Structures are given as C-alpha cells and as structure tokens.
Amino acid sequence: MKKQQLQKTQGFEQLLAWQKAQDLAVYIYELTKDFPSEEKFALTSQIRRAVTSVSANIAEGYGRRSAKDKIQFYTIGYGSLLELKSHLHLAVRLGYLQKELFNTAVDKIIDVQKLINALISSIRRNDST
C-alpha cells in the first residue's frame, strides 16, 4: 500500500528532463572524480554544483503553480547547463578532461537542453489556451 501511495505523490520524478538531468549528474560526478585534488574545492565543486542545480530546478519548477514560475525555474536549470558546459570547456583546456569525454558530456547536456525547452514550450502552449 505504501508503495502505491508513494507513486501517486511522485510527480517531477516522472519527467524525462529530470531523469536525464539526474543521469547527467551521475556521469559528471564520475568524470570529475579523477580531477586533481587541488581542484576539489574549486573547479570540481563548481562543475558539480552546476550539474546538480539542473535537476533541482526542474523539480522545483514542477512544484510551482503558475506557468511563469515554472518557466523561471526551468530556465534557471537551462542556465546551469550552460554554466556546466563552460566549466567543462575550461577543464579540457586545463588538461583535466579528454576531448572525447567532453564531447560525450556535451551530447548529454544537449539532450537535457532539448527536454527543458520542450517543457517550457509545453507550458507556454497550455498557458496560452
């Protein structure tokens, strides 16, 4: 019975954008675990904060009542993806991240960007009707 109740109360977990953002976070955590130890509280921390912000903002946006608020949080999550991408560019330039791994990360980032854009478009369509 508890499991059924839990499933009924879950909402943002059903969003593909949130699921893919979580998958991206796991991937990024794996990528950054071998960064130099002196970067632990610098670039590594910035990268991890940016990537965890994505799914957190999707979840928070989902819980908002107004379309404007939902879009605002989804847009913040999108911005965090751009921040993440910028940090990853720097990691490549510093020699912490191989270009092939960067390219895979960017592909995953683009997937989440498209899903967030689809969420925003859906809200705008539903809000205008």
Side-chain angles (χ1 to χ4, degrees), residues 7-128:
Q7 287 176 340
K8 287 181 184 178
T9 60
Q10 291 178 347
F12 66 84
E13 298 93 341
Q14 308 302 317
L15 294 174
L16 186 57
W18 180 84
Q19 293 169 6
K20 292 290 187 178
Q22 288 271 300
D23 292 345
L24 175 63
V26 171
Y27 180 76
I28 295 299
Y29 266 70
E30 285 295 314
L31 279 185
T32 58
K33 74 179 181 183
D34 293 327
F35 277 21
S37 60
E38 67 266 16
E39 290 296 342
K40 183 176 183 181
F41 299 109
L43 187 59
T44 303
S45 178
Q46 288 292 105
I47 289 171
R48 289 178 171 187
R49 279 194 297 236
V51 76
T52 57
S53 175
V54 179
S55 61
N57 277 289
I58 292 169
E60 189 162 356
Y62 181 88
R64 297 298 172 140
R65 296 203 183 267
S66 76
K68 181 180 175 184
D69 285 346
K70 286 179 183 296
I71 290 170
Q72 178 183 357
F73 280 96
Y74 295 156
T75 302
I76 292 168
Y78 190 97
S80 294
L81 287 169
L82 298 178
E83 179 183 356
L84 169 63
K85 190 174 174 185
S86 178
H87 292 323
L88 293 177
H89 274 289
L90 182 57
V92 169
R93 293 186 71 188
L94 293 170
Y96 302 157
L97 184 61
Q98 294 176 353
K99 189 68 172 174
E100 301 78 33
L101 295 172
F102 168 84
N103 290 336
T104 300
V106 168
D107 288 344
K108 293 175 184 294
I109 289 168
I110 290 169
D111 288 344
V112 177
Q113 286 176 317
K114 288 177 182 177
L115 292 166
I116 290 174
N117 281 335
L119 279 173
I120 292 170
S121 294
S122 174
I123 291 166
R124 287 186 174 142
R125 271 193 311 276
N126 291 336
D127 194 45
S128 66

